[in-house]
Amino acid sequence: MADNEIYPQIINVLITALNKFFLYPANHPIVRSTLSDAYAVLSKALALKKQLTFSLSGQDKILVEGQAITSSAQTLLEEFIAEFNKLQAESITFSEGLSVEELEQFLTMMLLKSEDLKKGAGISQLLSEKGIKHIKVNLFSYVKVEKGKEVVSRQKTKIIDTADFMLKLKEILKSNLDDGSQLDKNLEAVGNLLIQEAKDKDAKGKVEVAKSADKAFSQLNKFASVVQDKDKSGKLKALFTDKENRYLDAILIEAIILEYAQKKKWGPFLRDIFKRFYLKEDDTKRIIPKLKDRLLQNKITEPELNNFILEMQNSLNEFQTKVTKTDKEELINLKDENSRLRKELEQLQNQSRDTDDLKKKNKEAINEKERVENIIHHMAEGLVVVDKDGKILLMNPAAEKLLNVNKEEAGGKLLRDNIREEHLLMLPKELKPDNEGNLTKEIELFSPDESTKRVLRTSSAVVENQDGKAVGMVTVLNDITRQKEIEKLKSSFVTNVSHELRTPLIVIQQSLAILGGELKDKLNDTQEKFFTNAKNNLNRLRNLINDLLDMASIEAGKFKLKPDVFEINELVRTLAEFLNGWARAKNITLETAPLPAKTELFIDKDRITQVITNLVGNAIKFTPEGGKISIVLKERIADDSFKNKAIEVSVIDTGMGIDKKDSERIFNKFEQASVAGPANGSGTGLGLAIAKEIVQMHGGKIWVESEVGQGSKFSFLLPLDKEGTKNG
């Protein structure tokens, strides 16, 4: 690229970047993009020249290597000159090694007010404080003698500080842009500021105020659109244009009057005003009536006025006829380029809004991720996540300690390559949840020297994709070694005590049987009552010991089923006949509702009898005299709550009922319903817990439906296939 092309381009990108810095926040995508463009152009030029110096001549021309720069973008050139004047700079030098950070800092400084730039040692001190080494600004420190005769200061007329002026206007306009009445008042304030700035200036000074104001209004129009983004009808833009025309016309008319009063003729200065501000036909039509009225007020005669207007129109026509075909094509190209840039700007603004939304969502996601990671990291339980192939994706510190594994070494590798007890994490392809969807199991682990044993409880969940296909597994590990040791000690104690109690109970039971035979028909009523109470309490104590032994056997994993094929209707009928005497003693009706057809199940007859006896016994205890108990059998098809076809056995009573909050708790060991029962209705709290274990070992499930005062319905399911039944 030739020098005469790259120098105007540098000015173009610098002023464009400066304008974007003025309009948008520093981190806005448009600002970052224009800064990047400016740096790219400067870097390209410095790679060839090593150093570039832009200086300002006495005729307000920008020079590079003594050659004046000309550009079709005259407005940008004027803005560059205005920045020189603001800095009171003779030259600005860019050197090889310039960084994008230095350029950004320099452009930010250019937005400061003049008084801020003049503090201390001025711009040079600011550059030094910011560590900017590859940009130098040389200030005017002398007056210039023109033609050896007249001493001319750097500026004859104090030209308005464009940046300061726009900051003032921006402060006036930046609030209440959506409030029409307030905006109108704000624009009136802008007009007063313009009039005040131009008041005491000569014709040239007034024109400079108008130029600066024209630029300011143009940028403020963009600023308003960015801030408001509601001006779909164009009312805001029309309001800005109307106010701009009104106040600029007033200032420029005064400049024309001053110039005409001095020169009494149409000249180059007036021609330049009209070329700059009133070249368009609509602008000309607007200004001429105002100008005529103001000239007449200034005591100009009618012939003089007509002659002035005629010269003005001839000059404008002459200028317009000089616009060549090439110029028209260039104007068309510029319009097309302007249209393209506007569309790109709109797209960037939309992208900026989308980017802001994405940044906000991304920040929320990052915060949520950090929160979850902190929770996982500080969990007391171990957490392991594996993919469908068993590769470790995530492992928290607690899991590392429990499994004696380093996550940095184990990450992304197969379980079998890192964990000896890989089966404890239950890979998806091996997972077989029970009918309740419970994926919990207990695993025993040994230390490397196998001298220490630990027990872990693992709870796992399958991770599925949208198609329902397993893609991984999440497993939570709990160290329950201490808990197991306590349970073992407790079970051992209960078992030992129960066995120790069983021996004397057998002796007492046999003794009572012998006494009963020898003393038959010899006891009076009181003695008979005492003897009966002794036998009943002995049976109660025997049942308690049997329950304790059963629970101890279950916890030790020694509770075994002896399943065989039995007809369920016959089992229930026989059991009902046996229990009927107990029910009649309380004047309670006991009835059964068998299945319509003979149905055989693969079950442990004695244990299922134990379950039904427990449920019916509880019903008799908690059902008042005159009540009713039903044992109901029905066939049940597979559904979401139970995956197998089964027989449902229900014991329904009209007793006092159970609070819903107790419906799960009563199946735990040593737990009873919170509703007060009859005086002789207390128990050990083990019956339902044992019943639950027996039903689950048959592959079924047990539950209760009840309300206080409405009776209860205890139900359990027994699968029809043999696969459900298993030993502990």
Side-chain angles (χ1 to χ4, degrees):
M1 183 182 292
D3 292 347
N4 60 348
E5 294 179 1
I6 196 167
Y7 297 147
Q9 187 180 358
I10 291 173
I11 293 173
N12 188 343
V13 294
L14 286 176
I15 293 300
T16 300
L18 190 61
N19 289 337
K20 301 307 181 187
F21 269 66
F22 175 78
L23 285 173
Y24 302 94
N27 60 350
H28 195 284
I30 293 177
V31 172
R32 307 318 300 177
S33 176
T34 54
L35 176 63
S36 177
D37 291 344
Y39 180 71
V41 173
L42 266 171
S43 298
K44 185 176 181 181
L46 290 172
L48 300 173
K49 294 288 185 179
K50 309 301 180 184
Q51 190 176 78
L52 288 174
T53 299
F54 294 84
S55 57
L56 185 62
S57 72
Q59 291 76 35
D60 278 346
K61 300 289 185 181
I62 298 295
L63 306 177
V64 179
E65 298 179 351
Q67 298 295 319
I69 295 177
T70 57
S71 172
S72 57
Q74 185 63 28
T75 303
L76 293 177
L77 200 56
E78 290 175 0
E79 290 184 35
F80 197 57
I81 294 170
E83 296 301 332
F84 264 85
N85 288 327
K86 175 184 173 182
L87 295 175
Q88 294 187 346
E90 182 180 15
S91 65
I92 300 175
T93 301
F94 299 93
S95 302
E96 186 181 24
L98 175 71
S99 68
V100 69
E101 291 78 14
E102 288 179 310
L103 181 59
E104 181 176 5
Q105 289 277 9
F106 177 67
L107 291 173
T108 304
M109 289 180 193
M110 299 284 281
L111 296 178
L112 295 174
K113 295 180 179 180
S114 292
E115 53 265 31
D116 293 330
L117 287 170
K118 294 173 184 176
K119 290 179 181 178
I123 186 69
S124 298
Q125 180 178 338
L126 289 174
L127 291 172
S128 177
E129 289 175 352
K130 296 295 183 179
I132 302 175
K133 300 178 180 179
H134 299 91
I135 302 177
K136 302 293 182 185
V137 177
N138 293 321
L139 305 179
F140 278 103
S141 57
Y142 59 90
V143 294
K144 193 171 185 179
V145 179
E146 184 176 338
K147 299 180 181 178
K149 298 179 181 179
E150 183 180 3
V151 177
V152 183
S153 66
R154 190 54 211 125
Q155 287 179 246
K156 288 182 180 179
T157 306
K158 182 180 183 299
I159 299 176
I160 185 171
D161 187 324
T162 305
D164 287 357
F165 182 64
M166 285 195 291
L167 284 173
K168 291 177 184 177
L169 298 188
K170 188 174 177 181
E171 285 299 318
I172 293 173
L173 292 170
K174 70 179 180 181
S175 61
N176 300 314
L177 281 169
D178 55 347
D179 183 343
S181 59
Q182 183 62 43
L183 179 59
D184 193 67
K185 292 178 182 178
N186 288 345
L187 289 171
E188 290 290 341
V190 171
N192 293 333
L193 182 61
L194 286 172
I195 298 298
Q196 188 65 31
E197 288 285 346
K199 181 178 179 182
D200 298 323
K201 291 182 171 58
D202 59 13
K204 182 179 179 182
K206 293 181 188 295
V207 172
E208 293 299 335
V209 170
K211 287 181 180 179
S212 297
D214 186 41
K215 174 188 173 184
F217 266 105
S218 176
Q219 296 209 12
L220 286 168
N221 214 331
K222 297 176 185 177
F223 169 72
S225 299
V226 171
V227 173
Q228 191 181 28
D229 196 26
K230 296 178 182 176
D231 192 29
K232 306 299 182 184
S233 65
K235 291 181 179 179
L236 184 63
K237 183 177 179 180
L239 181 59
F240 268 90
T241 302
D242 178 68
K243 296 295 182 181
E244 178 184 10
N245 290 339
R246 175 181 167 188
Y247 293 114
L248 293 190
D249 286 354
I251 293 169
L252 291 169
I253 286 173
E254 292 303 314
I256 294 169
I257 294 295
L258 286 175
E259 180 69 11
Y260 185 78
Q262 185 179 15
K263 304 289 179 61
K264 298 295 183 180
K265 65 177 181 178
W266 179 264
F269 180 75
L270 296 178
R271 186 183 305 112
D272 289 342
I273 292 177
F274 274 82
K275 284 168 60 178
R276 174 70 170 79
F277 294 99
Y278 300 112
L279 186 59
K280 293 181 181 178
E281 186 177 353
D282 290 342
D283 294 329
T284 305
K285 289 180 178 179
R286 185 186 73 250
I287 191 63
I288 287 178
K290 296 180 182 180
L291 184 57
K292 283 182 177 180
D293 292 341
R294 186 67 183 86
L295 286 169
L296 288 173
Q297 291 174 13
N298 207 45
K299 308 300 182 182
I300 189 173
T301 64
E302 191 73 30
E304 289 176 326
L305 174 62
N306 291 334
N307 186 56
F308 176 81
I309 297 299
L310 180 62
E311 287 183 346
M312 177 189 71
Q313 290 177 334
N314 289 336
S315 180
L316 287 175
N317 291 334
E318 180 183 354
F319 176 77
Q320 289 170 348
T321 56
K322 290 181 179 179
V323 178
T324 63
K325 182 179 179 181
T326 304
D327 294 329
K328 291 181 179 179
E329 290 176 353
E330 184 177 351
L331 285 173
I332 292 172
N333 291 335
L334 287 173
K335 287 180 180 179
D336 292 342
E337 180 67 11
N338 183 52
S339 177
R340 184 185 66 80
L341 290 173
R342 284 180 181 275
K343 289 179 181 179
E344 287 182 1
L345 178 60
E346 290 176 3
Q347 291 175 355
L348 285 172
Q349 289 172 347
N350 292 333
Q351 289 173 6
S352 174
R353 284 189 287 270
D354 294 342
T355 301
D356 290 342
D357 291 341
L358 287 173
K359 283 182 178 178
K360 182 179 178 181
K361 291 178 181 178
N362 185 51
K363 185 176 180 181
E364 291 174 353
I366 290 172
N367 291 339
E368 181 65 17
K369 178 176 178 289
E370 290 177 351
R371 188 176 71 86
V372 172
E373 286 178 347
N374 286 333
I375 292 172
I376 292 173
H377 184 82
H378 293 94
M379 282 175 59
E381 298 82 5
L383 181 73
V384 181
V385 180
V386 298
D387 64 14
K388 63 182 179 63
D389 299 319
K391 292 181 179 178
I392 299 173
L393 302 178
L394 184 148
M395 181 181 293
N396 72 348
E400 291 182 65
K401 185 176 180 181
L402 290 172
L403 300 174
N404 195 28
V405 173
N406 187 309
K407 70 176 180 181
E408 301 299 333
E409 298 175 359
K413 297 180 181 179
L414 295 173
L415 286 174
R416 61 175 174 268
D417 297 334
N418 295 277
I419 304 173
R420 184 172 61 178
E421 299 83 1
E422 62 181 276
H423 56 284
L424 71 87
L425 298 177
M426 296 186 295
L427 298 182
K429 61 184 179 182
E430 300 168 350
L431 192 65
K432 292 183 179 179
D434 60 23
N435 290 312
E436 291 184 347
N438 192 339
L439 309 180
T440 301
K441 66 188 298 185
E442 294 176 4
I443 302 295
E444 292 184 354
L445 301 178
F446 290 89
S447 62
D449 58 4
E450 299 193 356
S451 61
T452 306
K453 183 180 75 172
R454 285 183 301 157
V455 181
L456 300 184
R457 177 181 291 125
T458 69
S459 300
S460 301
V462 178
V463 180
E464 298 179 343
N465 59 18
Q466 293 180 343
D467 300 326
K469 185 179 179 181
V471 295
M473 173 70 67
V474 178
T475 300
V476 178
L477 310 173
N478 287 280
D479 189 344
I480 57 171
T481 305
R482 182 62 179 164
Q483 179 183 339
K484 283 297 180 180
E485 289 174 352
I486 294 172
E487 289 180 357
K488 184 178 180 180
L489 289 172
K490 182 187 70 176
S491 298
S492 177
F493 172 77
V494 171
T495 302
N496 292 334
V497 170
S498 299
H499 280 297
E500 291 298 323
L501 288 174
R502 178 173 279 183
T503 301
L505 279 178
I506 293 173
V507 174
I508 296 171
Q509 187 176 23
Q510 290 176 347
S511 299
L512 285 176
I514 293 171
L515 285 173
E518 292 180 354
L519 300 177
K520 188 177 181 181
D521 300 327
K522 295 180 182 180
L523 300 174
N524 58 34
D525 291 344
T526 301
Q527 291 171 331
E528 182 68 31
K529 181 178 179 181
F530 284 136
F531 189 77
T532 301
N533 283 341
K535 288 196 297 182
N536 288 341
N537 280 290
L538 180 64
N539 288 333
R540 186 177 174 189
L541 186 56
R542 184 191 63 194
N543 290 337
L544 169 60
I545 291 173
N546 287 338
D547 284 347
L548 288 172
L549 289 172
D550 282 345
M551 184 55 67
S553 180
I554 289 170
E555 290 178 343
K558 298 177 181 179
F559 193 85
K560 304 294 182 182
L561 297 180
K562 298 176 181 178
D564 203 347
V565 177
F566 290 96
E567 207 283 314
I568 190 65
N569 283 329
E570 179 61 22
L571 186 151
V572 171
R573 184 189 64 77
T574 302
L575 188 56
E577 289 178 358
F578 172 75
L579 296 172
N580 201 31
W582 187 8
R584 283 201 302 270
K586 283 190 65 177
N587 193 27
I588 293 173
T589 301
L590 177 62
E591 61 182 23
T592 61
L595 294 166
K598 181 179 179 180
T599 304
E600 293 182 336
L601 297 176
F602 188 67
I603 58 175
D604 185 325
K605 177 184 176 183
D606 293 337
R607 293 304 181 183
I608 295 301
T609 298
Q610 181 180 347
V611 173
I612 299 175
T613 300
N614 179 272
L615 296 180
V616 174
N618 287 342
I620 293 173
K621 286 181 189 178
F622 295 99
T623 299
E625 291 189 9
K628 178 181 176 182
I629 298 172
S630 303
I631 305 175
V632 180
L633 302 178
K634 69 177 182 179
E635 190 171 327
R636 177 164 158 168
I637 62 174
D639 57 25
D640 292 338
S641 63
F642 197 76
K643 303 298 183 182
N644 301 315
K645 190 176 181 182
I647 298 300
E648 182 179 311
V649 182
S650 300
V651 176
I652 307 169
D653 65 56
T654 58
M656 59 199 309
I658 300 171
D659 196 316
K660 287 185 177 181
K661 68 181 181 181
D662 296 329
S663 60
E664 293 288 339
R665 187 175 59 82
I666 58 175
F667 290 101
N668 297 331
K669 292 180 291 184
F670 305 108
E671 295 279 3
Q672 293 182 317
S674 56
V675 178
N680 63 344
S682 61
T684 62
L686 288 174
L688 289 176
I690 294 171
K692 178 181 178 181
E693 293 291 341
I694 292 172
V695 170
Q696 288 182 344
M697 290 177 71
H698 279 82
K701 71 172 186 175
I702 187 170
W703 71 96
V704 63
E705 301 169 53
S706 180
E707 290 185 16
V708 176
Q710 301 297 318
S712 301
K713 178 183 178 182
F714 282 82
S715 304
F716 64 91
L717 298 177
L718 295 173
L720 279 169
D721 57 58
K722 293 184 179 182
E723 296 297 324
T725 304
K726 59 184 178 181
N727 280 309

